[in-house]
Every structure is written in C-alpha cells, then in structure tokens.
Amino acid sequence: MANVSHRGDMATHPDVSEMRARYARMLGGRDVALVDGPVFLLGLYCSASPWILHYTTSQPALATHNLIMGIAIGLLALGFTTAPARMYGLSWAICAMGVWMIIAPWIVGSSPDTGVILNNIIIGALAVVLGLMCAGTAAKSVPKP
C-alpha cells in the first residue's frame, strides 16, 4: 500500500493552476449565497402575508398580487441557488419588484388600510435592499479578464 500520509506543499504540484481555476469555477461566485436564504424567506412571507395579516377579504386583488409576487421572488431565490452563474444578472429584478411592491397598494388595492400599506412598504424595502446586496456582491465576484 502506498504511503499517502505525507503532507507536501501543493504549490509544487504540476496541476496546481488548473486545480485553482477549477475550484474557482465550481464556486461560481457563491459569495451571494448568504443572500439567497433571506430572499427566499421574503418571497415566502410576501406570498403568505395576506393570510397572516387577514386582508384576503378586504383586498382580494392585493392578496392575489402578493401571492404571485411572493412566488416570483421565491423562484428567483431558488434560481440563485441552483444556477448562480446564470441568475445573478437578475438581481436587479428583485430591486424592481421591491419598488413595485411599495407602490402596489395604491395601484392594485382599493383604499388599503395602514397595515396593508406598511406590510407592502416593508416587503418592498427589504426586496430592494436584498436585491442591491445580491447585485453588488455578484458584481464583485465577476472575474476580471
């Protein structure tokens, strides 16, 4: 049996540059992975918020809107997790969705009350902040030629 317990310096390995490049490719800019979870949770809360805050009967259009927007945010978060190299260009979409969530109570809803407005403003602000974090981290992790 070969003795593989020795601890040599990897810098002398003939394939060290190829191994480093492969390792960097496998990570694929996973610095943004810390934001994937909160974005998914935000989407989950957004889709469930009409039932949590009990405005499904008073604002049925806004309840459906929040359900669809929450599912869309959650799907983006899942896309960031499963195909990060392809999806991080869509980080700005979360910012746009956040801005839309802020103004949606007045456009989609019909005379919403303060709780509904605050809920959408908080969800929208968090979406903008998380989208900016995703976009900023993704921009930093793009390899320079």
Side-chain angles (χ1 to χ4, degrees), residues 6 30 81 98 107 121 140:
H6 65 281
R30 294 304 299 154
T81 303
I107 296 173
I121 288 175
K140 284 193 288 186

Side-chain angles (χ1 to χ4, degrees), residues 46-70:
C46 180
S47 62
S49 65
W51 290 273
I52 293 171
L53 298 178
H54 305 292
Y55 63 86
T56 54
T57 55
S58 65
Q59 299 287 333
L62 199 55
T64 305
H65 169 269
N66 280 15
L67 175 66
I68 293 169
M69 290 296 288

